[in-house]
Structure formats: structure tokens, C-alpha cells
Amino acid sequence: MSKTALITGVTGQDGSYLAELLLEKGYDVHGMVRRSSTEKRERIDHLMDNPNFHLHYGDLADSMSLVKLIGTVRPDEIYNLAAQSHVQVSFDVPEYTADVVATGVLRVLEAVRVCGLEKTCRIYQASTSELFGKVEEVPQRETTPFHPYSPYAVAKQYGFWIVKEYREAYNMFCCSGILFNHESERRGETFVTRKISLAAARIAQGKQDKLYLGNLSSLRDWGYARDYVECMWLILQHDTPEDFVIATGEQHSVREFCEYAFREAGIELEFKGEGMDEVGIDKATGKVVIEVSPEFYRPTDVVNLWGDPTKAKTELGWNPTKTSFEELVKLMVRHDMKLVEKEN
Ligand code: NAP
Ligand code: GDD
């Protein structure tokens, strides 16, 4: 008998890769989608003809839709990936972020109980390294204390604890993957890596003059999304429900990401100046191609994320360095060079 999975957030970066992975593994895959004025679902368009892939309307802000959906699909596994996932935007829409990112998790857990599936359905919660926020230890591991540092992170912290609470109170198989940043050619265009890979491609092809960024010194542990969804699956196949840090164990700055990305696009960069006056210069032409803008600074920013994936490596057998940082940047820029070629 094939297993049935429900993915919330199936139209997102991770949801699309996870749907592909589960279909390859022979699952019947159900995805929850929101109604919007455009039916743009480019990340999953290629899956629409697969007879084992099904879409249903629903929303994490609407408990009845979750009860109906979970009661109809009766999944063996739920991957709760849906979220207002942009940290900077969470400062603009904090209440909505809390409703979807925090209470939304509770709604999924309660829907599973209301449908009488708490003994059979395993639940994965998309948790985040943002929980470590204003970090209290470097690198961060499962035992590192949390210090969330944005409305998004505070909401995700509720999600983490309510999953743990349901695991202990009702003996449910529900777990959180504490995932560090993971990127890809499907990454949303306002996250910093994709913003850089697209700009590098456009500047190299003479279609954009300058890239404006915020904090260039911010440090992240960036992995490849396609590798990370495999870990979500492994967490639910584990004998016991446990939480795992998922990271590469390698750290780079936003400035370094720019250097690698522009190099891949054929531009050698040199950075000069400091703080708001720092600029990135094209060494060959002397032109300023990167400037810092206060628009992309956050009221509080997380600046030192670096994960220790030892537990995932030893207990799940997961390989954190399957795709290296250099390979990740290359595949994003190569993808965007082709995409930009087609732009007018
Ligand atoms: P993403 O590309 O922004 O996708 C978010 C998904 O959630 C989209 O499918 C979106 O649907 C859906 N969604 C948003 N609000 C919803 C609502 N109210 N009801 C139902 N669906 C809703 O995010 P991602 O990068 O794939 O990340 C997946 C999850 O992992 C998120 O929970 C994120 O917070 C978490 N996470 C991500 C990272 C990372 O580095 N990528 C790291 C740690 C944790 P639309 O297409 O309709 O907008
Ligand atoms: N977005 C953005 N845009 N970030 C910038 C910019 C810019 O122009 N300039 C500098 N940054 C810095 C941010 O201040 C932050 O320190 C870092 O680059 C990464 O920003 P994002 O790419 O927006 O990602 P994030 O780390 O805030 O959040 C992502 O990763 C989390 C896991 O740690 C999201 O995917 C979250 O959903 C996820 O939980």
C-alpha cells in the first residue's frame, strides 16, 4: 500500500521539491493551496499531470478547511510547510504572521485530533534557525537556547513548543526540523540569495545597473533546498519523534555570496568603504554595482547563524554537504543567467 502525504505550502520552494521527492517514492501526494487572483503555480506546474498529485483549497488561518481536508485525505504524514515566511515582512504584518505561523500550527494539530488520526498520522513542522535569533551559542545545535528576534521567529517559537507539547501530552508523532537557510533556483525573489543571483545575471547582461542590499556582514549557513527536503522525510521515518537541526555546518556572509555569484556571472567584485557607505565595484570597469540601502535593514536582525548538523548526520544518516556552497551559488546563477536572457 502506498502512503498518503499532505503538504501545506506545496506551492512554495520547499513544498515543490518535497512533492517531487514523495512522488518519486511512490506516495499519493495531496497539496493544500490558497485561492488567489492569479493561479500562478509555476513551481508545481510540471507535477499537474501526475495522477498521484492532487490539490485542494485550504488555509492555515481557517480551521474548518483544515478539518475538512485532513478528514477527507486521511494522510499518513503531514508536512506543515505553509507560512508567511519572510522575516522582514513579519515586521509589517506581525498579527497576520502570528495567526498563520503560530496559531496555524495549532490548527493543524487539532484538526488531526478532531479527525481521530492522532495515533496514525505523523506530522512534520517546518521550524527554523531563526529561533536561535540573537544567538547565545555558536555554532547552534538542538540544545542551544532560543532567542527569537523578529515577529516571524517569535511565532515560529510557538509552533515549535506546541508541537513538543502535543507530542508529550497526546503521544503524537509530531516533530520539528530546525532548518537553517536553504536556497535554490526556486527561491523567492526577495530573499537575499535569489535577489543577488538574479541581479548578478541582469547586471552581467546589461539589464540592471545596480543592486541595493541591507546588511552585507550578516552571516548565514546556506544549504540547497533539494537536499533539505530529504531530511524532512527522514525525520518522519525515524523510529522516535524527535527534533533535528538541519544545516551544512559552514558559514558565509552576504558579501561573500555576492562575490561568488558575481564571479559566476563573469564580474570580479571589490568591496570598499564601511557600513552604509560600503560599495561593491566591478574591478574591470570601476563601476559601482552594489550599494547599501537602509530600506533593507530590519529593526532587529539575526546576524550569526551557523548550524551543527551532527545529530542529523549520525541519527538520520543525512549528508549535510551533498551540495557545496560553491555549487549552490553556481546552480542559482547559471539558472538565472538563462532566465534573464529571455527577459526583454
Ligand atoms: P515559501 O517559498 O515562502 O512558501 C511558503 C508557502 O506557504 C507557499 O506555498 C504559500 O502559498 C504558503 N502559505 C502562506 N500562507 C499561507 C496560508 N495562510 N495558508 C496556506 N498556505 C500558506 O517558503 P519556503 O522557503 O518553501 O519555506 C517552507 C517552510 O519552511 C516555511 O514554513 C518557512 O517558514 C520554513 N523555513 C524555511 C527556510 C528556508 O530557508 N527556506 C528555513 C527554515 C524554515 P502561496 O504560494 O499561495 O503564497
Ligand atoms: N531579504 C534580504 N534582502 N535580506 C538581506 C538584504 C536584502 O536586500 N540585504 C542583506 N540581507 C540580510 C538580512 O538582513 C538577513 O540577515 C540575511 O541577509 C538573510 O535574509 P533573507 O534571505 O531574507 O533570509 P532570512 O535569514 O531572514 O530568513 C530565511 O531563512 C530563515 C531560516 O534562518 C527565510 O527563509 C525564513 O523563512 C527562514 O526561517
Side-chain angles (χ1 to χ4, degrees), residues 302-318:
V302 171
V303 293
N304 194 4
L305 290 181
W306 185 8
D308 176 355
T310 306
K311 185 181 175 194
K313 228 161 85 174
T314 49
E315 291 191 26
L316 301 175
W318 181 66

Side-chain angles (χ1 to χ4, degrees), residues 55-154:
L55 294 182
H56 311 264
Y57 283 113
D59 199 301
L60 278 197
D62 180 345
S63 8
M64 288 311 287
S65 71
L66 293 170
V67 170
K68 268 195 289 184
L69 180 52
I70 292 170
T72 308
V73 171
R74 302 190 77 75
D76 302 299
E77 294 173 8
I78 296 178
Y79 296 85
N80 184 37
L81 310 187
Q84 188 302 92
S85 74
H86 204 285
V87 174
Q88 186 162 8
V89 172
S90 77
F91 289 95
D92 299 325
V93 290
E95 185 181 340
Y96 172 73
T97 301
D99 189 26
V100 172
V101 175
T103 318
V105 185
L106 175 68
R107 293 189 184 105
V108 170
L109 294 165
E110 272 301 294
V112 169
R113 293 185 64 228
V114 167
C115 296
L117 298 174
E118 68 273 25
K119 297 269 180 287
T120 56
C121 180
R122 295 185 171 199
I123 303 158
Y124 171 86
Q125 166 58 17
S127 192
T128 168
S129 50
E130 288 290 310
L131 298 189
F132 301 121
K134 194 176 179 193
V135 299
E136 300 193 5
E137 185 180 28
V138 182
Q140 297 91 40
R141 47 181 70 93
E142 287 80 4
T143 49
T144 303
F146 295 150
H147 190 143
Y149 214 35
S150 66
Y152 165 82
V154 172

Side-chain angles (χ1 to χ4, degrees), residues 85 87 128-129 152 181 187 190 192 195 214 218 220 298 301:
S85 74
V87 174
T128 168
S129 50
Y152 165 82
N181 297 52
R187 186 56 145 152
T190 60
V192 77
K195 187 171 159 183
S218 187
R220 286 290 181 276
R298 299 165 185 189
D301 196 14

Side-chain angles (χ1 to χ4, degrees), residues 9 55 71 75 83 91 118 137 154 157 164 170 184 211 213 249 258 297 309 317 320 337:
L55 294 182
F91 289 95
E118 68 273 25
E137 185 180 28
V154 172
Q157 176 145 357
K164 200 165 157 50
Y170 305 118
S184 73
L211 166 63
L213 292 170
C258 291
Y297 271 80
M337 287 294 273

